[in-house]
Amino acid sequence: MDDIKLVKMFMDDEIKSEVLKILDSGYYIKGPNLKSFETAFEKYLDVKHAIGVSSGTAALFLAYNEFNFQPGDEVIVPSHTFIATASPVAFFKAKPVFVDCDPETYCMDIEDVKEKITSKTKCITPVHLYGHPADMDPLIEISQEKNIKIVEDCCQAHGSEYKGKKVGTLGDIGIFSFFPSKSMTVGGDGGMIVTNNDDYGEILKVRRDHGRTTKYKNENLGLNFRLNEIQAAIGRIQLKYLPEWIKKRRAIVDFYNEILKQYPNVKIPIEKEWAKAAYYVYTIQIEDRDKFIEYFKQKNIATGIYYPIPVHKQPIIEKLYGKQPKLPITEDIVEKIVSLPLSPQLTDIELERIKTEINNYLS
Ligand SMILES: Cc1ncc(COP(=O)(O)O)c(C=O)c1O
């Protein structure tokens, strides 16, 4: 068992007492906690609508559903991401078109996006991977010129900024996950959809709750993708800490960078001048990655690989869409990437221990 974990959970006394209050109240869904979490999220992001849902995947499903894809329509997605960025596309009989990643930011390669646009492209889904924003301006330009929608996948980028604006607010729709390892969580699964578009804002609120506007009247097609009161309360409290946690995450990234920059065989993360990354994971590239992981395992320090199999090579993608064209950068980096523990709750003692082991291994 690793005694320094990749991620540390945060649940304080305020959260515990709020959860108990909700349990006692018997009021578990569609209550004041959801409303206040959504309002706080809108304020934090400076966005008109925030809609709590049951997961990041549910948020993506609902976002894609609004675009009325026709069979054969294409959605441009990165391959270097979690599969949920792409898999909901298949439910609408549309086709994910995979693009390579930028070797510096790990986000989608804009030149590859331009090459892969066709008359069938209906949507582009940039992922702000590891907390570093994708380069949004060229994507927004393409979207306006060609009438293509943009869904920002911000599941790893709560509070990240692109040119001074919070990610999620730049495209047509932004989506977030509160999965337990994320930069802010809800004590289980949860997600949020955000948009400045009033039409999307209104209909998405209705679709996550059976398409109804009143209790027994269902005027729209919907499903049950609600976020419950306990999770909304945990999210609302955790959101208060997010700015402070982002500072701590950035300080830990600086700490790791300072140690690792002296080793030429290690590639450390790069922050673009237009970005303020709210780092979700700290990912480096190293040639002997598997040995590095094994060494840290022996020292009871967790490491992770986000992600070992690119989405365009996942069996279900090949089964549905056939073997996909090669993506050289993605296929190269997945052999070299490894992530070190990153949590605002990491102690100085733990960080010093990781530092010692990095130096012991590399020097
Ligand atoms: C980039 C990305 N997209 C989508 C998701 C899906 O979110 P969830 O696990 O909340 O469904 C995740 C997280 O797991 C993710 O990291």
Side-chain angles (χ1 to χ4, degrees):
M1 186 73 171
D2 299 317
D3 54 8
I4 302 185
K5 300 195 168 45
L6 261 185
V7 175
K8 279 191 180 185
M9 299 302 150
F10 175 88
M11 292 292 158
D12 66 356
D13 288 344
E14 186 187 1
I15 291 179
K16 289 173 192 163
S17 103
E18 279 298 301
V19 168
L20 286 178
K21 258 198 254 163
I22 296 165
L23 285 175
D24 286 340
S25 78
Y27 201 3
Y28 303 144
I29 55 165
K30 294 169 51 160
N33 288 287
L34 176 61
K35 186 76 219 128
S36 60
F37 182 29
E38 290 173 338
T39 306
F41 213 78
E42 284 162 2
K43 198 163 162 224
Y44 177 66
L45 256 64
D46 192 16
V47 71
K48 281 168 90 176
H49 306 273
I51 301 136
V53 291
S54 50
S55 69
T57 308
L60 271 160
F61 182 93
L62 286 168
Y64 289 142
N65 179 58
E66 288 315 310
F67 300 151
N68 196 21
F69 295 141
Q70 301 301 307
D73 279 351
E74 295 172 356
V75 179
I76 296 187
V77 290
S79 174
H80 186 50
T81 179
F82 183 57
I83 191 157
T85 309
S87 46
V89 170
F91 286 85
F92 302 101
K93 303 282 176 239
K95 182 180 158 203
V97 172
F98 296 97
V99 291
D100 214 343
C101 74
D102 180 290
E104 292 194 327
T105 64
Y106 297 107
C107 297
M108 60 181 8
D109 174 355
I110 305 297
E111 292 312 309
D112 204 19
V113 172
K114 288 180 184 161
E115 272 174 34
K116 288 184 174 152
I117 286 185
T118 71
S119 58
K120 291 185 176 161
T121 310
K122 291 288 148 41
C123 177
I124 303 173
T125 308
V127 179
H128 306 299
L129 201 78
Y130 305 156
H132 192 291
D135 192 2
M136 290 302 295
D137 275 352
L139 296 178
I140 292 166
E141 208 174 293
I142 294 169
S143 130
Q144 287 168 348
E145 198 182 299
K146 300 191 184 286
N147 193 23
I148 293 171
K149 302 291 181 198
I150 295 182
V151 176
E152 289 176 77
D153 181 335
C154 314
C155 290
Q156 302 189 6
H158 311 68
S160 296
E161 290 175 21
Y162 177 79
K163 299 188 179 173
K165 282 190 176 165
K166 295 269 186 336
V167 300
T169 64
L170 303 144
D172 294 279
I173 296 176
I175 66 98
F176 292 81
S177 164
F178 305 120
F179 176 82
S181 69
K182 300 301 186 205
S183 301
M184 58 166 291
T185 65
V186 294
D189 279 311
M192 193 72 85
I193 308 175
V194 299
T195 182
N196 278 312
N197 178 309
D198 293 334
D199 293 337
Y200 292 143
E202 265 141 48
I203 191 69
L204 284 164
K205 225 164 248 164
V206 169
R207 287 216 206 279
R208 64 148 173 213
D209 183 28
H210 303 290
R212 62 186 159 193
T213 40
T214 58
K215 193 167 178 187
Y216 293 114
K217 197 162 179 196
N218 303 72
E219 287 164 331
N220 303 280
L221 203 52
L223 289 164
N224 179 354
F225 286 130
R226 293 186 300 254
L227 182 68
N228 71 47
E229 282 292 281
I230 290 176
Q231 295 181 319
I234 298 173
R236 173 174 53 75
I237 296 166
Q238 290 217 358
L239 182 60
K240 290 196 296 190
Y241 295 101
L242 185 63
E244 186 189 309
W245 288 344
I246 291 171
K247 274 194 205 144
K248 189 78 204 287
R249 285 175 177 276
R250 290 179 59 83
I252 295 171
V253 167
D254 288 345
F255 173 84
Y256 283 148
N257 281 346
E258 209 46 47
I259 307 162
L260 285 161
K261 71 181 187 198
Q262 58 183 310
Y263 298 108
N265 57 332
V266 176
K267 189 168 174 194
I268 61 176
I270 286 168
E271 188 179 41
K272 289 287 190 185
E273 60 291 352
W274 39 258
K276 187 159 181 217
Y279 292 98
Y280 164 57
V281 286
Y282 180 83
T283 302
I284 56 172
Q285 285 183 51
I286 180 164
E287 292 291 338
D288 56 355
R289 190 259 317 266
D290 295 343
K291 263 172 68 191
F292 181 90
I293 291 175
E294 189 48 40
Y295 179 84
F296 277 81
K297 198 169 163 199
Q298 296 303 323
K299 304 292 171 192
N300 293 325
I301 298 171
T303 56
I305 304 175
Y306 300 89
Y307 294 91
I309 304 175
V311 183
H312 74 288
K313 293 192 130 190
Q314 288 288 352
I316 184 59
I317 296 296
E318 294 190 344
K319 188 171 166 205
L320 290 173
Y321 305 104
K323 212 169 156 50
Q324 299 295 298
K326 206 170 157 50
L327 299 174
I329 306 284
T330 301
E331 288 171 36
D332 177 53
I333 62 153
V334 296
E335 304 295 331
K336 300 176 186 162
I337 46 172
V338 54
S339 304
L340 294 175
L342 181 58
S343 272
Q345 287 78 33
L346 275 170
T347 63
D348 289 347
I349 294 172
E350 288 171 322
L351 286 168
E352 280 306 317
R353 225 183 98 198
I354 298 170
K355 177 180 175 176
T356 304
E357 296 307 345
I358 291 174
N359 286 326
N360 285 347
Y361 180 82
L362 290 168
S363 52

